mmCIF file of all heavy atoms in Angstrom:
data_model
loop_
_atom_site.group_PDB
_atom_site.id
_atom_site.type_symbol
_atom_site.label_atom_id
_atom_site.label_comp_id
_atom_site.label_asym_id
_atom_site.label_seq_id
_atom_site.Cartn_x
_atom_site.Cartn_y
_atom_site.Cartn_z
ATOM 1 N N VAL W 12 -1.571 -28.302 -32.683
ATOM 2 C CA VAL W 12 -1.465 -26.890 -32.379
ATOM 3 C C VAL W 12 -2.746 -26.417 -31.718
ATOM 4 O O VAL W 12 -2.627 -25.539 -30.753
ATOM 5 C CB VAL W 12 -1.306 -26.074 -33.750
ATOM 6 C CG1 VAL W 12 -1.441 -24.602 -33.587
ATOM 7 C CG2 VAL W 12 0.051 -26.430 -34.422
ATOM 8 N N MET W 13 -3.841 -26.931 -32.108
ATOM 9 C CA MET W 13 -5.122 -26.542 -31.337
ATOM 10 C C MET W 13 -5.044 -26.943 -29.864
ATOM 11 O O MET W 13 -5.370 -26.124 -29.021
ATOM 12 C CB MET W 13 -6.305 -27.243 -32.026
ATOM 13 C CG MET W 13 -7.599 -26.945 -31.245
ATOM 14 S SD MET W 13 -9.066 -27.814 -31.809
ATOM 15 C CE MET W 13 -9.424 -26.666 -33.160
ATOM 16 N N ALA W 14 -4.603 -28.120 -29.671
ATOM 17 C CA ALA W 14 -4.443 -28.669 -28.291
ATOM 18 C C ALA W 14 -3.549 -27.803 -27.467
ATOM 19 O O ALA W 14 -3.838 -27.438 -26.322
ATOM 20 C CB ALA W 14 -3.965 -30.143 -28.314
ATOM 21 N N ALA W 15 -2.429 -27.372 -28.042
ATOM 22 C CA ALA W 15 -1.502 -26.548 -27.333
ATOM 23 C C ALA W 15 -2.099 -25.178 -27.051
ATOM 24 O O ALA W 15 -1.870 -24.585 -26.002
ATOM 25 C CB ALA W 15 -0.180 -26.374 -28.091
ATOM 26 N N ARG W 16 -2.894 -24.670 -27.904
ATOM 27 C CA ARG W 16 -3.510 -23.370 -27.748
ATOM 28 C C ARG W 16 -4.694 -23.313 -26.868
ATOM 29 O O ARG W 16 -5.131 -22.257 -26.472
ATOM 30 C CB ARG W 16 -3.888 -22.792 -29.124
ATOM 31 C CG ARG W 16 -2.712 -22.415 -30.029
ATOM 32 C CD ARG W 16 -3.176 -21.886 -31.316
ATOM 33 N NE ARG W 16 -2.066 -21.563 -32.171
ATOM 34 C CZ ARG W 16 -2.210 -21.027 -33.424
ATOM 35 N NH1 ARG W 16 -3.360 -20.887 -33.957
ATOM 36 N NH2 ARG W 16 -1.128 -20.752 -34.092
ATOM 37 N N LEU W 17 -5.217 -24.473 -26.558
ATOM 38 C CA LEU W 17 -6.434 -24.460 -25.695
ATOM 39 C C LEU W 17 -6.134 -24.106 -24.245
ATOM 40 O O LEU W 17 -6.968 -23.640 -23.544
ATOM 41 C CB LEU W 17 -7.095 -25.827 -25.736
ATOM 42 C CG LEU W 17 -7.931 -26.111 -26.948
ATOM 43 C CD1 LEU W 17 -8.354 -27.622 -27.012
ATOM 44 C CD2 LEU W 17 -9.167 -25.200 -27.024
ATOM 45 N N GLY W 18 -4.866 -24.388 -23.854
ATOM 46 C CA GLY W 18 -4.484 -24.078 -22.472
ATOM 47 C C GLY W 18 -4.895 -25.215 -21.528
ATOM 48 O O GLY W 18 -5.483 -26.184 -21.938
ATOM 49 N N ARG W 19 -4.572 -25.044 -20.248
ATOM 50 C CA ARG W 19 -4.731 -26.124 -19.306
ATOM 51 C C ARG W 19 -6.146 -26.479 -19.045
ATOM 52 O O ARG W 19 -6.515 -27.588 -18.798
ATOM 53 C CB ARG W 19 -4.031 -25.632 -17.949
ATOM 54 C CG ARG W 19 -3.886 -26.707 -17.028
ATOM 55 C CD ARG W 19 -3.278 -26.118 -15.716
ATOM 56 N NE ARG W 19 -4.297 -25.216 -15.137
ATOM 57 C CZ ARG W 19 -4.598 -25.199 -13.890
ATOM 58 N NH1 ARG W 19 -3.936 -25.985 -13.013
ATOM 59 N NH2 ARG W 19 -5.546 -24.349 -13.458
ATOM 60 N N ASP W 20 -7.019 -25.498 -19.011
ATOM 61 C CA ASP W 20 -8.414 -25.738 -18.644
ATOM 62 C C ASP W 20 -9.202 -26.618 -19.689
ATOM 63 O O ASP W 20 -10.214 -27.218 -19.288
ATOM 64 C CB ASP W 20 -9.178 -24.439 -18.363
ATOM 65 C CG ASP W 20 -8.742 -23.703 -17.135
ATOM 66 O OD1 ASP W 20 -8.151 -24.471 -16.282
ATOM 67 O OD2 ASP W 20 -8.933 -22.492 -17.002
ATOM 68 N N ALA W 21 -8.794 -26.548 -20.897
ATOM 69 C CA ALA W 21 -9.541 -27.234 -21.971
ATOM 70 C C ALA W 21 -8.593 -28.225 -22.724
ATOM 71 O O ALA W 21 -9.142 -29.148 -23.337
ATOM 72 C CB ALA W 21 -10.253 -26.280 -22.898
ATOM 73 N N GLY W 22 -7.362 -27.964 -22.718
ATOM 74 C CA GLY W 22 -6.430 -28.822 -23.553
ATOM 75 C C GLY W 22 -6.354 -30.256 -23.116
ATOM 76 O O GLY W 22 -6.036 -31.081 -23.931
ATOM 77 N N TRP W 23 -6.691 -30.568 -21.832
ATOM 78 C CA TRP W 23 -6.639 -31.954 -21.478
ATOM 79 C C TRP W 23 -7.579 -32.838 -22.263
ATOM 80 O O TRP W 23 -7.260 -34.060 -22.395
ATOM 81 C CB TRP W 23 -7.090 -32.042 -19.955
ATOM 82 C CG TRP W 23 -8.481 -31.668 -19.657
ATOM 83 C CD1 TRP W 23 -8.900 -30.407 -19.288
ATOM 84 C CD2 TRP W 23 -9.680 -32.427 -19.779
ATOM 85 N NE1 TRP W 23 -10.223 -30.288 -19.149
ATOM 86 C CE2 TRP W 23 -10.743 -31.547 -19.495
ATOM 87 C CE3 TRP W 23 -9.921 -33.737 -20.204
ATOM 88 C CZ2 TRP W 23 -12.067 -32.011 -19.535
ATOM 89 C CZ3 TRP W 23 -11.238 -34.166 -20.201
ATOM 90 C CH2 TRP W 23 -12.290 -33.305 -19.857
ATOM 91 N N ALA W 24 -8.611 -32.244 -22.826
ATOM 92 C CA ALA W 24 -9.567 -33.064 -23.609
ATOM 93 C C ALA W 24 -8.936 -33.601 -24.844
ATOM 94 O O ALA W 24 -9.367 -34.634 -25.347
ATOM 95 C CB ALA W 24 -10.754 -32.218 -23.966
ATOM 96 N N LEU W 25 -7.874 -33.026 -25.331
ATOM 97 C CA LEU W 25 -7.190 -33.547 -26.567
ATOM 98 C C LEU W 25 -5.846 -34.132 -26.262
ATOM 99 O O LEU W 25 -5.090 -34.494 -27.155
ATOM 100 C CB LEU W 25 -7.008 -32.316 -27.513
ATOM 101 C CG LEU W 25 -8.257 -31.799 -28.072
ATOM 102 C CD1 LEU W 25 -7.930 -30.614 -28.989
ATOM 103 C CD2 LEU W 25 -9.107 -32.806 -28.795
ATOM 104 N N ASP W 26 -5.531 -34.430 -25.015
ATOM 105 C CA ASP W 26 -4.314 -35.169 -24.632
ATOM 106 C C ASP W 26 -4.222 -36.396 -25.421
ATOM 107 O O ASP W 26 -5.122 -37.304 -25.357
ATOM 108 C CB ASP W 26 -4.147 -35.347 -23.157
ATOM 109 C CG ASP W 26 -3.826 -34.215 -22.406
ATOM 110 O OD1 ASP W 26 -3.344 -33.198 -22.975
ATOM 111 O OD2 ASP W 26 -3.936 -34.198 -21.105
ATOM 112 N N GLY W 27 -3.077 -36.659 -26.045
ATOM 113 C CA GLY W 27 -2.809 -37.935 -26.768
ATOM 114 C C GLY W 27 -3.454 -38.010 -28.129
ATOM 115 O O GLY W 27 -3.337 -38.958 -28.830
ATOM 116 N N ALA W 28 -4.222 -36.969 -28.519
ATOM 117 C CA ALA W 28 -4.902 -37.000 -29.861
ATOM 118 C C ALA W 28 -4.051 -36.151 -30.798
ATOM 119 O O ALA W 28 -4.466 -35.069 -31.110
ATOM 120 C CB ALA W 28 -6.272 -36.509 -29.737
ATOM 121 N N ASP W 29 -2.985 -36.697 -31.327
ATOM 122 C CA ASP W 29 -2.213 -35.934 -32.309
ATOM 123 C C ASP W 29 -2.669 -36.184 -33.685
ATOM 124 O O ASP W 29 -2.269 -35.431 -34.628
ATOM 125 C CB ASP W 29 -0.738 -36.425 -32.222
ATOM 126 C CG ASP W 29 -0.134 -36.095 -30.832
ATOM 127 O OD1 ASP W 29 -0.561 -35.004 -30.254
ATOM 128 O OD2 ASP W 29 0.761 -36.775 -30.333
ATOM 129 N N ASP W 30 -3.490 -37.143 -33.910
ATOM 130 C CA ASP W 30 -4.032 -37.532 -35.212
ATOM 131 C C ASP W 30 -5.544 -37.423 -35.157
ATOM 132 O O ASP W 30 -6.115 -37.984 -34.077
ATOM 133 C CB ASP W 30 -3.569 -38.944 -35.565
ATOM 134 C CG ASP W 30 -3.990 -39.356 -37.011
ATOM 135 O OD1 ASP W 30 -5.173 -39.335 -37.261
ATOM 136 O OD2 ASP W 30 -3.146 -39.677 -37.741
ATOM 137 N N PRO W 31 -6.241 -36.919 -36.093
ATOM 138 C CA PRO W 31 -7.706 -36.882 -36.004
ATOM 139 C C PRO W 31 -8.418 -38.224 -35.882
ATOM 140 O O PRO W 31 -9.441 -38.288 -35.267
ATOM 141 C CB PRO W 31 -8.095 -36.300 -37.443
ATOM 142 C CG PRO W 31 -6.890 -35.456 -37.803
ATOM 143 C CD PRO W 31 -5.699 -36.181 -37.282
ATOM 144 N N ALA W 32 -7.718 -39.330 -36.257
ATOM 145 C CA ALA W 32 -8.148 -40.680 -36.036
ATOM 146 C C ALA W 32 -8.281 -41.054 -34.560
ATOM 147 O O ALA W 32 -8.951 -41.925 -34.277
ATOM 148 C CB ALA W 32 -7.385 -41.694 -36.768
ATOM 149 N N GLU W 33 -7.635 -40.273 -33.750
ATOM 150 C CA GLU W 33 -7.607 -40.501 -32.319
ATOM 151 C C GLU W 33 -8.714 -39.645 -31.567
ATOM 152 O O GLU W 33 -8.790 -39.836 -30.338
ATOM 153 C CB GLU W 33 -6.252 -40.304 -31.715
ATOM 154 C CG GLU W 33 -5.153 -41.157 -32.214
ATOM 155 C CD GLU W 33 -5.413 -42.651 -31.868
ATOM 156 O OE1 GLU W 33 -5.767 -42.904 -30.683
ATOM 157 O OE2 GLU W 33 -5.371 -43.505 -32.727
ATOM 158 N N LEU W 34 -9.379 -38.911 -32.299
ATOM 159 C CA LEU W 34 -10.389 -38.013 -31.623
ATOM 160 C C LEU W 34 -11.421 -38.781 -30.849
ATOM 161 O O LEU W 34 -11.916 -38.368 -29.807
ATOM 162 C CB LEU W 34 -11.040 -37.047 -32.586
ATOM 163 C CG LEU W 34 -10.082 -35.847 -33.007
ATOM 164 C CD1 LEU W 34 -10.783 -35.084 -34.114
ATOM 165 C CD2 LEU W 34 -9.834 -34.961 -31.800
ATOM 166 N N TRP W 35 -11.876 -39.933 -31.305
ATOM 167 C CA TRP W 35 -12.852 -40.728 -30.674
ATOM 168 C C TRP W 35 -12.411 -41.189 -29.295
ATOM 169 O O TRP W 35 -13.176 -41.234 -28.394
ATOM 170 C CB TRP W 35 -13.283 -41.909 -31.516
ATOM 171 C CG TRP W 35 -12.379 -43.012 -31.695
ATOM 172 C CD1 TRP W 35 -11.317 -43.118 -32.555
ATOM 173 C CD2 TRP W 35 -12.290 -44.196 -30.825
ATOM 174 N NE1 TRP W 35 -10.676 -44.316 -32.333
ATOM 175 C CE2 TRP W 35 -11.259 -44.971 -31.285
ATOM 176 C CE3 TRP W 35 -12.978 -44.597 -29.723
ATOM 177 C CZ2 TRP W 35 -10.882 -46.141 -30.720
ATOM 178 C CZ3 TRP W 35 -12.647 -45.832 -29.099
ATOM 179 C CH2 TRP W 35 -11.586 -46.598 -29.669
ATOM 180 N N ARG W 36 -11.115 -41.507 -29.194
ATOM 181 C CA ARG W 36 -10.583 -41.853 -27.841
ATOM 182 C C ARG W 36 -10.537 -40.651 -26.946
ATOM 183 O O ARG W 36 -10.793 -40.798 -25.725
ATOM 184 C CB ARG W 36 -9.150 -42.464 -28.053
ATOM 185 C CG ARG W 36 -9.198 -43.855 -28.625
ATOM 186 C CD ARG W 36 -7.883 -44.545 -28.387
ATOM 187 N NE ARG W 36 -7.976 -45.838 -28.875
ATOM 188 C CZ ARG W 36 -7.388 -46.420 -29.886
ATOM 189 N NH1 ARG W 36 -6.472 -45.668 -30.577
ATOM 190 N NH2 ARG W 36 -7.512 -47.668 -30.233
ATOM 191 N N ALA W 37 -10.188 -39.507 -27.472
ATOM 192 C CA ALA W 37 -10.148 -38.333 -26.674
ATOM 193 C C ALA W 37 -11.546 -37.941 -26.175
ATOM 194 O O ALA W 37 -11.740 -37.612 -25.019
ATOM 195 C CB ALA W 37 -9.561 -37.129 -27.448
ATOM 196 N N GLU W 38 -12.572 -38.187 -27.020
ATOM 197 C CA GLU W 38 -13.913 -37.914 -26.607
ATOM 198 C C GLU W 38 -14.343 -38.919 -25.519
ATOM 199 O O GLU W 38 -14.986 -38.552 -24.583
ATOM 200 C CB GLU W 38 -14.886 -38.074 -27.812
ATOM 201 C CG GLU W 38 -16.323 -37.834 -27.417
ATOM 202 C CD GLU W 38 -17.300 -37.925 -28.637
ATOM 203 O OE1 GLU W 38 -16.871 -38.246 -29.734
ATOM 204 O OE2 GLU W 38 -18.490 -37.627 -28.375
ATOM 205 N N ALA W 39 -13.971 -40.137 -25.613
ATOM 206 C CA ALA W 39 -14.315 -41.133 -24.615
ATOM 207 C C ALA W 39 -13.665 -40.796 -23.300
ATOM 208 O O ALA W 39 -14.336 -40.898 -22.230
ATOM 209 C CB ALA W 39 -13.878 -42.522 -25.046
ATOM 210 N N ARG W 40 -12.447 -40.360 -23.280
ATOM 211 C CA ARG W 40 -11.762 -39.901 -22.087
ATOM 212 C C ARG W 40 -12.422 -38.669 -21.486
ATOM 213 O O ARG W 40 -12.580 -38.567 -20.286
ATOM 214 C CB ARG W 40 -10.275 -39.600 -22.349
ATOM 215 C CG ARG W 40 -9.386 -40.808 -22.471
ATOM 216 C CD ARG W 40 -7.935 -40.393 -22.491
ATOM 217 N NE ARG W 40 -7.570 -39.448 -23.410
ATOM 218 C CZ ARG W 40 -7.198 -39.666 -24.652
ATOM 219 N NH1 ARG W 40 -7.170 -40.867 -25.122
ATOM 220 N NH2 ARG W 40 -6.884 -38.644 -25.511
ATOM 221 N N CYS W 41 -12.822 -37.798 -22.348
ATOM 222 C CA CYS W 41 -13.511 -36.593 -21.889
ATOM 223 C C CYS W 41 -14.871 -36.941 -21.216
ATOM 224 O O CYS W 41 -15.106 -36.463 -20.113
ATOM 225 C CB CYS W 41 -13.785 -35.701 -23.100
ATOM 226 S SG CYS W 41 -14.491 -34.059 -22.686
ATOM 227 N N TRP W 42 -15.601 -37.860 -21.759
ATOM 228 C CA TRP W 42 -16.872 -38.246 -21.176
ATOM 229 C C TRP W 42 -16.634 -38.977 -19.830
ATOM 230 O O TRP W 42 -17.384 -38.841 -18.907
ATOM 231 C CB TRP W 42 -17.684 -39.104 -22.103
ATOM 232 C CG TRP W 42 -18.495 -38.214 -23.031
ATOM 233 C CD1 TRP W 42 -18.249 -37.979 -24.368
ATOM 234 C CD2 TRP W 42 -19.607 -37.437 -22.683
ATOM 235 N NE1 TRP W 42 -19.173 -37.192 -24.818
ATOM 236 C CE2 TRP W 42 -20.061 -36.744 -23.856
ATOM 237 C CE3 TRP W 42 -20.385 -37.262 -21.528
ATOM 238 C CZ2 TRP W 42 -21.186 -35.935 -23.870
ATOM 239 C CZ3 TRP W 42 -21.439 -36.392 -21.527
ATOM 240 C CH2 TRP W 42 -21.840 -35.765 -22.726
ATOM 241 N N SER W 43 -15.560 -39.751 -19.742
ATOM 242 C CA SER W 43 -15.179 -40.417 -18.471
ATOM 243 C C SER W 43 -14.938 -39.369 -17.427
ATOM 244 O O SER W 43 -15.366 -39.521 -16.222
ATOM 245 C CB SER W 43 -14.015 -41.344 -18.663
ATOM 246 O OG SER W 43 -14.354 -42.407 -19.466
ATOM 247 N N ARG W 44 -14.251 -38.316 -17.785
ATOM 248 C CA ARG W 44 -13.933 -37.297 -16.776
ATOM 249 C C ARG W 44 -15.142 -36.512 -16.443
ATOM 250 O O ARG W 44 -15.376 -36.159 -15.221
ATOM 251 C CB ARG W 44 -12.842 -36.391 -17.373
ATOM 252 C CG ARG W 44 -12.396 -35.305 -16.376
ATOM 253 C CD ARG W 44 -11.333 -34.513 -16.780
ATOM 254 N NE ARG W 44 -11.138 -33.359 -15.886
ATOM 255 C CZ ARG W 44 -10.111 -32.535 -16.022
ATOM 256 N NH1 ARG W 44 -9.087 -32.695 -16.940
ATOM 257 N NH2 ARG W 44 -9.941 -31.550 -15.155
ATOM 258 N N VAL W 45 -16.025 -36.207 -17.395
ATOM 259 C CA VAL W 45 -17.283 -35.513 -17.045
ATOM 260 C C VAL W 45 -18.079 -36.356 -16.069
ATOM 261 O O VAL W 45 -18.630 -35.759 -15.101
ATOM 262 C CB VAL W 45 -18.056 -35.264 -18.346
ATOM 263 C CG1 VAL W 45 -19.483 -34.783 -18.009
ATOM 264 C CG2 VAL W 45 -17.384 -34.198 -19.154
ATOM 265 N N GLU W 46 -18.149 -37.698 -16.299
ATOM 266 C CA GLU W 46 -18.931 -38.477 -15.355
ATOM 267 C C GLU W 46 -18.284 -38.611 -14.024
ATOM 268 O O GLU W 46 -18.962 -38.381 -12.936
ATOM 269 C CB GLU W 46 -19.106 -39.837 -15.947
ATOM 270 C CG GLU W 46 -19.976 -40.760 -15.133
ATOM 271 C CD GLU W 46 -20.280 -42.012 -15.780
ATOM 272 O OE1 GLU W 46 -19.495 -42.569 -16.603
ATOM 273 O OE2 GLU W 46 -21.390 -42.571 -15.521
ATOM 274 N N ARG W 47 -17.002 -38.770 -13.966
ATOM 275 C CA ARG W 47 -16.245 -38.809 -12.687
ATOM 276 C C ARG W 47 -16.391 -37.487 -11.886
ATOM 277 O O ARG W 47 -16.678 -37.463 -10.683
ATOM 278 C CB ARG W 47 -14.738 -39.068 -13.002
ATOM 279 C CG ARG W 47 -13.929 -39.418 -11.780
ATOM 280 C CD ARG W 47 -12.522 -39.935 -12.225
ATOM 281 N NE ARG W 47 -11.856 -38.976 -13.025
ATOM 282 C CZ ARG W 47 -11.496 -39.170 -14.325
ATOM 283 N NH1 ARG W 47 -11.842 -40.293 -14.923
ATOM 284 N NH2 ARG W 47 -10.854 -38.280 -15.013
ATOM 285 N N ASP W 48 -16.230 -36.317 -12.576
ATOM 286 C CA ASP W 48 -16.409 -35.104 -11.931
ATOM 287 C C ASP W 48 -17.861 -34.851 -11.497
ATOM 288 O O ASP W 48 -18.096 -34.293 -10.372
ATOM 289 C CB ASP W 48 -15.937 -33.918 -12.836
ATOM 290 C CG ASP W 48 -14.467 -33.910 -13.063
ATOM 291 O OD1 ASP W 48 -13.707 -34.646 -12.422
ATOM 292 O OD2 ASP W 48 -13.972 -33.133 -13.966
ATOM 293 N N GLY W 49 -18.812 -35.307 -12.299
ATOM 294 C CA GLY W 49 -20.203 -35.218 -11.890
ATOM 295 C C GLY W 49 -20.484 -36.041 -10.659
ATOM 296 O O GLY W 49 -21.254 -35.533 -9.814
ATOM 297 N N GLU W 50 -19.931 -37.252 -10.522
ATOM 298 C CA GLU W 50 -20.143 -38.009 -9.421
ATOM 299 C C GLU W 50 -19.600 -37.372 -8.135
ATOM 300 O O GLU W 50 -20.178 -37.458 -7.073
ATOM 301 C CB GLU W 50 -19.582 -39.403 -9.647
ATOM 302 C CG GLU W 50 -20.305 -40.263 -10.635
ATOM 303 C CD GLU W 50 -19.665 -41.551 -11.094
ATOM 304 O OE1 GLU W 50 -18.437 -41.655 -10.745
ATOM 305 O OE2 GLU W 50 -20.336 -42.329 -11.729
ATOM 306 N N ALA W 51 -18.384 -36.802 -8.312
ATOM 307 C CA ALA W 51 -17.805 -36.070 -7.208
ATOM 308 C C ALA W 51 -18.626 -34.878 -6.722
ATOM 309 O O ALA W 51 -18.856 -34.722 -5.504
ATOM 310 C CB ALA W 51 -16.399 -35.544 -7.592
ATOM 311 N N LEU W 52 -19.262 -34.181 -7.646
ATOM 312 C CA LEU W 52 -20.120 -33.046 -7.279
ATOM 313 C C LEU W 52 -21.437 -33.588 -6.632
ATOM 314 O O LEU W 52 -21.923 -32.991 -5.704
ATOM 315 C CB LEU W 52 -20.514 -32.224 -8.553
ATOM 316 C CG LEU W 52 -19.432 -31.381 -9.122
ATOM 317 C CD1 LEU W 52 -19.869 -30.838 -10.448
ATOM 318 C CD2 LEU W 52 -19.145 -30.229 -8.146
ATOM 319 N N LEU W 53 -21.878 -34.718 -7.028
ATOM 320 C CA LEU W 53 -23.042 -35.326 -6.388
ATOM 321 C C LEU W 53 -22.804 -35.768 -4.963
ATOM 322 O O LEU W 53 -23.736 -35.778 -4.115
ATOM 323 C CB LEU W 53 -23.502 -36.575 -7.172
ATOM 324 C CG LEU W 53 -24.371 -36.327 -8.381
ATOM 325 C CD1 LEU W 53 -24.562 -37.636 -9.188
ATOM 326 C CD2 LEU W 53 -25.701 -35.712 -7.992
ATOM 327 N N ARG W 54 -21.591 -36.088 -4.650
ATOM 328 C CA ARG W 54 -21.269 -36.500 -3.237
ATOM 329 C C ARG W 54 -21.156 -35.335 -2.287
ATOM 330 O O ARG W 54 -21.127 -35.472 -1.114
ATOM 331 C CB ARG W 54 -19.940 -37.289 -3.236
ATOM 332 C CG ARG W 54 -20.127 -38.647 -3.845
ATOM 333 C CD ARG W 54 -18.899 -39.454 -3.507
ATOM 334 N NE ARG W 54 -17.711 -39.130 -4.282
ATOM 335 C CZ ARG W 54 -17.450 -39.484 -5.516
ATOM 336 N NH1 ARG W 54 -18.117 -40.349 -6.142
ATOM 337 N NH2 ARG W 54 -16.292 -39.089 -6.031
ATOM 338 N N GLY W 55 -21.147 -34.071 -2.829
ATOM 339 C CA GLY W 55 -21.067 -32.940 -2.022
ATOM 340 C C GLY W 55 -22.307 -32.692 -1.238
ATOM 341 O O GLY W 55 -23.431 -33.111 -1.646
ATOM 342 N N SER W 56 -22.239 -32.106 -0.124
ATOM 343 C CA SER W 56 -23.373 -31.854 0.762
ATOM 344 C C SER W 56 -23.711 -30.343 0.927
ATOM 345 O O SER W 56 -24.681 -30.067 1.661
ATOM 346 C CB SER W 56 -23.134 -32.434 2.126
ATOM 347 O OG SER W 56 -21.983 -31.892 2.723
ATOM 348 N N GLU W 57 -22.987 -29.503 0.246
ATOM 349 C CA GLU W 57 -23.305 -28.134 0.409
ATOM 350 C C GLU W 57 -24.481 -27.719 -0.396
ATOM 351 O O GLU W 57 -24.866 -28.322 -1.350
ATOM 352 C CB GLU W 57 -22.029 -27.277 -0.037
ATOM 353 C CG GLU W 57 -21.809 -27.234 -1.532
ATOM 354 C CD GLU W 57 -21.193 -28.464 -2.168
ATOM 355 O OE1 GLU W 57 -20.652 -29.357 -1.427
ATOM 356 O OE2 GLU W 57 -21.251 -28.550 -3.391
ATOM 357 N N PHE W 58 -25.073 -26.590 0.001
ATOM 358 C CA PHE W 58 -26.089 -25.946 -0.877
ATOM 359 C C PHE W 58 -25.433 -25.213 -1.931
ATOM 360 O O PHE W 58 -24.419 -24.574 -1.742
ATOM 361 C CB PHE W 58 -26.952 -25.010 0.035
ATOM 362 C CG PHE W 58 -27.879 -25.734 1.029
ATOM 363 C CD1 PHE W 58 -27.514 -25.801 2.361
ATOM 364 C CD2 PHE W 58 -28.911 -26.466 0.540
ATOM 365 C CE1 PHE W 58 -28.292 -26.451 3.319
ATOM 366 C CE2 PHE W 58 -29.728 -27.087 1.507
ATOM 367 C CZ PHE W 58 -29.412 -27.116 2.853
ATOM 368 N N GLY W 59 -25.968 -25.273 -3.086
ATOM 369 C CA GLY W 59 -25.440 -24.568 -4.243
ATOM 370 C C GLY W 59 -25.764 -25.358 -5.504
ATOM 371 O O GLY W 59 -26.514 -26.381 -5.582
#
């Protein structure tokens, strides 16, 4: 229910975590995405 209520912008972090025992996998996926997105931002050449 929490995952459904989070909406698209944050709900992806809990995809596949229907049981609290799966939260560690959701956290690992979240950190992978944070790193991937961070690397993409680092490749940018714009000021900001």
Side-chain angles (χ1 to χ4, degrees):
V12 170
M13 175 187 277
R16 290 180 180 180
L17 281 171
R19 192 183 67 132
D20 290 338
W23 63 267
L25 294 177
D26 283 346
D29 295 331
D30 184 303
E33 296 297 314
L34 283 172
W35 72 272
R36 285 193 175 116
E38 181 180 4
R40 282 191 310 272
C41 184
W42 277 106
S43 292
R44 182 171 171 176
V45 165
E46 185 171 29
R47 191 173 54 249
D48 290 353
E50 289 170 349
L52 287 169
L53 278 172
R54 286 191 292 273
S56 60
E57 74 283 345
F58 288 106

